[in-house]
Amino acid sequence: MSTNSSGPLKVAVTGAAGQIGYSLLFRIASGAIAGDRPVELRLLEIEPALKALEGVVMELDDCAFPNLAGIEIGSDPEKIFDGANLALLVGARPRGPGMERGDLLSANGAIFTAQGQALNKVAADDVRIGVTGNPANTNALIAASNAPDIPKERFSALTRLDHNRAISQLAAKTGAKVTDIKKMTIWGNHSATQYPDIFHAEIAGRNAAEVVGDQAWIADTFIPTVAKRGAAIIDARGASSAASAASATCDAARDWLNGTPEGDWVSMAVVSDGSYGVQEGLVSSFPVTTRDGNWEIVQGLEIDEFSRGKIDASVAELADEKNAVTELGLI
Ligand code: NAD
Ligand code: LMR
């Protein structure tokens, strides 16, 4: 699949009247995912939010986006996901101050069982599903488990925001341009246990960890700053990240459908095939390359003891989340 095919790309977005939706819809409509290919937006909300969503649709209309081919809104996932080529599952309750993502498991898990089942019934044969709503990795696992006819490889959870945060922090530290930084990797869960890894990253072709030359900064500043950025934004804004999450959601979908550039990779949370010792079946973040709508985990990276411990800790958290949603009967 790529965005070059003919006809509009049907993009379903859940939680469309929420904070992220308010940024995301305008980016999608102006071509951030599909470029010049027309897009049709199919927007899902819960009943009480449909009036607010109607207002957002008025604003979308008022932008007169040249490539916005149509908009449908509603609260029935089977209607809204009908024929969707791309489904961006954003709608879920965000965490507030003091909450950890694990607190959201039961609150949000049920949403993803119903949406997985609906996608299974009515989405297009080539559908790709990106999960932004938290806890994103485990929500993707729940949706995939409830969509037995859709290949598991079509589900991915968003760690692109963490990837972008890591690039930005590294650029600020080294004075490099963000465009000079390649091969950044986020491993594991989109949570505070995630492992942003610069040991394989490059800055203008040089190993990033060597350019930084300061292991203490990597361990004590860089990793926690990236991993806890979501909480820092909640503390500062009183609400979770929205515009940056929308931007990362677009980046991830665009690269998934159109491919990663030669000589670089991106971070996506995808179903593990056991690569790098990550328990098979967990939705965990890896370095991946993409082509024609398919992804491949980058193989052969050397993992030292420091990185091993960090990856294992985040994967253990994912295994715990999987056990919790199994006990809740969600998968
Ligand atoms: P928000 O509360 O502003 O919006 C969520 C919207 O989802 C609401 O409008 C709500 O009515 C809707 N919704 C709830 N249940 C629904 C359902 N069953 N079907 C359709 N819509 C439904 O929240 P937000 O700030 O837009 O964040 C959305 C999610 O994204 C949260 O879970 C948040 O934690 C997560 N998030 C993830 C990342 C990431 O990097 N993965 C980054 C930021 C936020
Ligand atoms: C983020 O990383 O900004 C989001 O996942 C919101 C959160 O709860 O941290």
Side-chain angles (χ1 to χ4, degrees):
M1 183 193 188
S2 90
T3 55
N4 293 325
S5 321
S6 60
L9 184 76
K10 290 190 179 185
V11 184
V13 179
T14 72
Q19 288 199 90
I20 295 176
Y22 196 63
S23 229
L24 179 61
L25 303 181
F26 296 84
R27 295 285 307 278
I28 299 172
S30 60
I33 294 175
D36 290 337
R37 181 174 171 190
V39 289
E40 184 184 316
L41 287 174
R42 309 183 65 84
L43 309 179
L44 186 72
E45 257 299 348
I46 51 172
E47 200 72 37
L50 284 177
K51 186 162 188 310
L53 185 55
E54 282 170 16
V56 178
V57 171
M58 288 183 219
E59 288 205 70
L60 282 162
D61 288 343
D62 294 350
C63 293
F65 287 118
N67 286 318
L68 183 53
I71 309 176
E72 183 152 346
I73 72 170
S75 59
D76 177 352
E78 285 192 22
K79 284 199 182 132
I80 293 301
F81 292 155
D82 190 24
N85 309 111
L86 175 67
L88 301 174
L89 307 186
V90 177
R93 184 183 151 197
R95 67 182 172 140
M99 285 171 83
E100 278 307 318
R101 286 180 180 78
D103 299 330
L104 297 172
L105 274 180
S106 55
N108 288 334
I111 296 175
F112 293 84
T113 54
Q115 292 182 357
Q117 288 160 8
L119 286 162
N120 196 56
K121 273 197 192 163
V122 300
D125 285 347
D126 65 358
V127 69
R128 266 72 182 164
I129 299 138
V131 178
T132 297
N134 279 321
N137 300 52
T138 298
N139 287 340
L141 179 69
I142 294 169
S145 304
N146 283 275
D149 302 328
I150 302 178
K152 300 232 176 311
E153 294 73 28
R154 303 286 191 80
F155 291 81
S156 170
L158 189 74
T159 51
R160 184 60 176 266
L161 178 54
D162 311 292
H163 178 102
N164 290 347
R165 286 167 172 165
I167 288 175
S168 163
Q169 292 297 322
L170 186 59
K173 168 73 176 172
T174 59
K177 291 188 277 191
V178 289
T179 47
D180 285 337
I181 298 177
K182 311 279 184 216
K183 301 184 179 175
M184 180 61 75
T185 305
I186 304 295
W187 300 92
N189 200 0
H190 171 66
S191 78
T193 68
Q194 69 178 260
Y195 172 42
D197 172 4
I198 67 166
F199 292 101
H200 305 100
E202 293 172 359
I203 302 178
R206 291 182 58 206
N207 179 274
E210 281 170 27
V211 173
V212 168
D214 182 351
Q215 174 69 23
W217 178 80
I218 296 172
D220 304 332
T221 302
F222 171 74
I223 294 173
T225 300
V226 174
K228 295 181 187 163
R229 188 71 159 183
I233 289 168
I234 291 170
D235 280 349
R237 251 171 53 84
S240 67
S241 64
S244 56
S247 192
T249 299
C250 289
D251 288 347
R254 182 200 60 222
D255 288 347
W256 193 357
L257 301 188
N258 294 316
T260 40
E262 205 55 44
D264 201 1
W265 65 60
V266 293
S267 303
M268 282 170 71
V270 294
V271 64
S272 175
D273 60 357
S275 291
Y276 297 102
V278 175
Q279 184 187 317
E280 204 178 325
L282 293 177
V283 175
S284 188
S285 187
F286 288 98
V288 300
T289 54
T290 60
R291 195 177 186 165
D292 297 330
N294 300 314
W295 51 261
E296 265 181 41
I297 296 172
V298 175
Q299 297 295 335
L301 301 179
E302 254 177 57
I303 306 297
D304 67 10
E305 210 178 315
F306 176 82
S307 296
R308 186 75 263 160
K310 298 273 179 206
I311 295 171
D312 288 350
S314 196
V315 170
E317 182 184 48
L318 286 171
D320 284 349
E321 289 186 12
K322 184 179 181 190
N323 289 339
V325 296
T326 305
E327 276 169 26
L328 289 166
L330 298 171
I331 61 173

